[in-house]
Amino acid sequence: MSETILTEDLAVRFARIALGHVGREYPNKPDHVLAGPQDARTPRELHPVFFGSYDWHSCVHSYWMLARLLRRYPASEAADDIRTLFDAQFVTEKVAAECAYLSAPTARGFKRPYGWGWLLKLATELSLLDETRWRERIAPLAAIFAQRFRDFLPLATYPVRVGTHFNTAFGLRMAADYAAATLDDAFDALLRETALRWYGADQDCPAWGEPSGDDFQSSALIEAECMRRLLAPGDFLPWFDRFLPRLAQRAPATLFRPATVTDRSDGKLAHLDGLNLSRAWCWRALAGALPEGDAGRPILQDAARGHLDAGLPHIASDYMGEHWLASFAVLAIDSDG
């Protein structure tokens, strides 16, 4: 079976999906605390950059995907529309308003850690584009979220291992790319130390709770992907052998079976399409970490293909998935290591 790759046609298809919803204000599910009547404001007033795509975090990672697709195919038929969007949205005044929102005491935990990680991932991707103006304008917002990680991680005694937005391994993994892009060795060390403190002693993961009914991440696989990203290969491979020691037997079996989605108009059930795509991303990355010739490598690659095949046809089945799934598809088929 051949591996799915990000072709220009597929990139344009995904870009058109995102361009259709990053500016769509409603329906909208705000994550917003009202301290008084003055805080009852529209999504666009609250978040002049990231008001679309049903919710703030989905809008952020849709922008990440658009930046990624622009970098991969800068001359595609969608490229100029992406540049026009970025020039309209990544402007000093709008970014300043996003920063001001975060200064409210009620916003201390806003989008922690999922949105934090995705915003830093977006900043990382913008830093890789030839155009410099967008990365410079979003930099103050990225700096706030990086500092939030620095402030929060020493206070976080325990990890969060759920398969939804609150998963801490996902946040660490995405923040690691930003630390590398900004050459911030101290931030990178904090992320690594936290990962080892939270996950370093884990072994023989049963994955017994997977999948839960509204998961869009595998708590087992995203933990492994977090450790792969943050540890040197010589440290990661022994840890991975202890963490999932029975992969050669395709166990735990639940990790190898794509999730079934029964109603894609239900936002929680539609999460399971995302689970298949995010598992495909993790399986692919983990397979790439194994040495050439390792017997486990084709097993993990096969698991990645099976999950991608289960999720990819449903990117635009309903708006409950359409507003975010393409981003996870791009992670699954075109992630950098």
Side-chain angles (χ1 to χ4, degrees):
M1 185 186 299
S2 62
E3 182 179 0
T4 301
I5 62 172
L6 184 67
T7 64
E8 184 168 350
D9 287 345
L10 191 57
V12 169
R13 178 193 164 203
F14 287 162
R16 292 296 178 207
I17 291 172
L19 289 166
H21 61 68
V22 292
R24 179 176 173 177
E25 189 171 6
Y26 299 104
N28 199 290
K29 186 177 183 293
D31 183 0
H32 176 56
V33 178
L34 281 73
Q38 72 280 359
D39 293 330
R41 300 158 65 196
T42 66
R44 191 187 294 262
E45 290 170 334
L46 292 168
H47 300 293
V49 181
F50 304 115
F51 61 83
S53 305
Y54 190 71
D55 50 46
W56 188 91
H57 54 259
S58 296
C59 198
V60 170
H61 60 73
S62 295
Y63 273 95
W64 165 81
M65 180 184 72
L66 289 169
R68 176 70 178 212
L69 299 178
L70 180 61
R71 178 161 68 92
R72 292 283 277 108
Y73 292 103
S76 79
E77 65 179 56
D80 283 345
D81 290 337
I82 296 172
R83 293 187 179 96
T84 298
L85 172 71
F86 286 5
D87 280 337
Q89 290 300 96
F90 296 145
V91 297
T92 301
E93 295 79 7
K94 291 181 179 181
V95 173
E98 295 277 358
C99 293
Y101 179 88
L102 296 172
S103 68
T106 52
R108 179 183 180 186
F110 177 73
K111 300 298 180 182
R112 184 177 73 200
Y114 184 73
W116 297 9
W118 268 120
L119 194 284
L120 295 186
K121 184 73 169 171
L122 168 60
T124 301
E125 192 63 40
L126 291 175
S127 75
L128 300 174
L129 291 172
D130 291 337
E131 295 91 338
T132 62
R133 58 191 181 277
W134 306 317
R135 77 185 76 164
E136 293 166 354
R137 292 169 187 169
I138 201 114
L141 188 59
I144 289 174
F145 282 111
Q147 188 59 45
R148 295 209 162 179
F149 271 110
R150 295 187 192 97
D151 294 340
F152 173 69
L153 293 181
L155 303 177
T157 305
Y158 310 107
V160 179
R161 301 176 184 271
V162 298
T164 55
H165 309 84
F166 309 105
N167 185 284
T168 45
F170 181 87
L172 295 184
R173 191 263 172 263
M174 298 309 239
D177 289 344
Y178 176 84
T182 55
L183 304 179
D184 192 333
D185 293 340
F187 189 28
D188 183 75
L190 174 62
L191 298 171
R192 183 178 300 104
E193 291 162 5
T194 303
L196 286 169
R197 173 165 58 87
W198 283 345
Y199 310 119
D202 290 356
Q203 55 186 331
D204 199 12
C205 177
W208 61 264
E210 296 190 37
S212 185
D214 71 343
D215 283 354
F216 63 89
Q217 299 186 68
S218 162
S219 58
L221 295 182
I222 192 58
E223 177 179 334
E225 168 57 9
C226 171
M227 297 296 270
R228 181 204 67 80
R229 180 63 184 82
L230 283 166
L231 299 184
D235 296 322
F236 169 70
L237 291 173
W239 178 91
F240 190 45
D241 286 341
R242 295 191 301 272
F243 183 64
L244 290 171
R246 293 172 292 125
L247 290 181
Q249 291 78 49
R250 290 177 168 78
T254 186
L255 294 180
F256 289 84
R257 288 193 298 267
T260 299
V261 184
T262 55
D263 183 356
R264 291 185 168 86
S265 67
D266 183 303
K268 293 293 188 179
L269 296 177
H271 273 183
L272 293 166
D273 277 324
L275 175 64
N276 288 331
L277 293 169
S278 63
R279 279 184 173 183
W281 166 47
C282 291
W283 280 130
R284 177 175 173 263
L286 294 167
L290 299 181
E292 290 285 350
D294 189 293
R297 191 166 179 148
I299 294 173
L300 274 56
Q301 290 170 332
D302 184 62
R305 284 190 292 264
H307 280 84
L308 184 62
D309 289 345
L312 197 57
H314 307 294
I315 299 300
S317 297
D318 185 275
Y319 193 60
M320 286 298 95
E322 183 178 288
H323 75 269
W324 66 282
L325 284 173
S327 305
F328 276 73
V330 171
L331 273 181
I333 62 180
D334 197 55
S335 55
D336 287 331

